[in-house]
Amino acid sequence: MADIAARLTTLTRLGFAARGLLYIVIALLVLTTGRAEDPSGALQTLGEGGGRILLGLMAAGFVAYGIWRLSDAAFDIERHGSDGKGLRERLGAGASGIVHLFLAWQAIRLMQGTADQGGSGAEQGAQSALQLPGGGVLLVLGGLVLLGVGLFQLYRARKGSFLDHLEPQVARQDWVRWTGRAGYAARGLVFLISGFFLVRAGLDEKASEAGGMAEALAWLTNPWDVLVAIGLLAFGLFSLIEARFRTLHQVPVHGIGQKVRAQMH
């Protein structure tokens, strides 16, 4: 069990690196070609350039990262605490885990050649929601959640709390602090724009008005698109820093196994 936990932690670091690579690609596409993509689009771009081996490594990293984040949500392995702030952070960890497991699934489909080509994931999701009773309200609520996430990202950028989980000698470096601040500020702005799109789509009940990261970046005009892209590049670099220097608490594989066995008897 200890070996499994150690290997999962190693692969989680690969997940941080994979996340960083996606954000670097997103930023460079904007800066060099003016093309706006979200993480799914960046993953497809990497697959076209790097092939199955790179996609396989990224899928493995995203699976481990997703499991680690979901374990944090369920077992508080990062020690957030049980107060309101801690519960919000654990909910965020759970959402992040689901997103990265989805990215792993996409990477596997790209390896198999069965991934969807084109189309806005945000628009498709909004269309599905609008087919449900009260779909417009659901979209508005989802947009409000994204607005809250965006504000929280900006709060983290200002406070610098993203440094808390880095090794102390690295966290003290000014260039690391400002790389993280630029990255979290850019992500916060993207979430705010995406949240606005989703609220508007819900109020107007028009799925075509929904949008994610790609639509948010395309909506920005010069020089804001360049500034946000530089910020996303910084976030990618900060993710690479986390891949090497973040303090990771291991997933309690043995404890989870014991709980599962106890419930089966």
Side-chain angles (χ1 to χ4, degrees), residues 191-205:
F191 276 116
L192 288 176
I193 296 171
S194 300
F196 164 73
F197 286 162
L198 201 57
V199 169
R200 183 180 62 181
L203 292 175
D204 296 340
E205 296 191 353

Side-chain angles (χ1 to χ4, degrees), residues 19-32 35-43 213-214 217 229 232-233:
R19 184 185 73 175
L21 185 56
L22 285 188
Y23 273 89
I24 290 171
V25 169
I26 290 169
L28 291 180
L29 285 173
V30 174
L31 294 173
T32 61
R35 175 179 157 196
E37 291 287 0
D38 58 10
S40 297
L43 187 62
M213 178 178 288
L217 290 172
L232 295 178
L233 177 62

Side-chain angles (χ1 to χ4, degrees), residues 208-226:
S208 59
E209 295 182 352
M213 178 178 288
E215 290 75 21
L217 290 172
W219 180 78
L220 291 167
T221 57
N222 190 50
W224 294 105
D225 56 343
V226 173

Side-chain angles (χ1 to χ4, degrees), residues 156-157 160-184 231 233-246:
R156 295 192 74 185
S161 58
F162 49 82
L163 298 171
D164 294 346
H165 298 295
L166 291 181
E167 295 179 9
Q169 70 273 19
V170 176
R172 287 193 292 266
Q173 301 294 320
D174 287 339
W175 70 272
V176 173
R177 181 183 304 109
W178 285 106
T179 298
R181 277 183 167 163
Y184 275 96
L233 177 62
F235 186 79
L237 295 175
F238 185 77
S239 295
L240 297 181
I241 294 170
E242 287 187 293
R244 172 61 181 86
F245 296 106
R246 184 179 172 109

Side-chain angles (χ1 to χ4, degrees), residues 23 29 36 43 49 72 78-79 147 155 204 227 234 238 247 255 257 263:
Y23 273 89
L29 285 173
L43 187 62
D72 186 26
E78 289 291 283
R79 302 165 189 171
L147 290 172
Y155 171 77
D204 296 340
L227 292 174
F238 185 77
T247 302
Q263 290 178 356

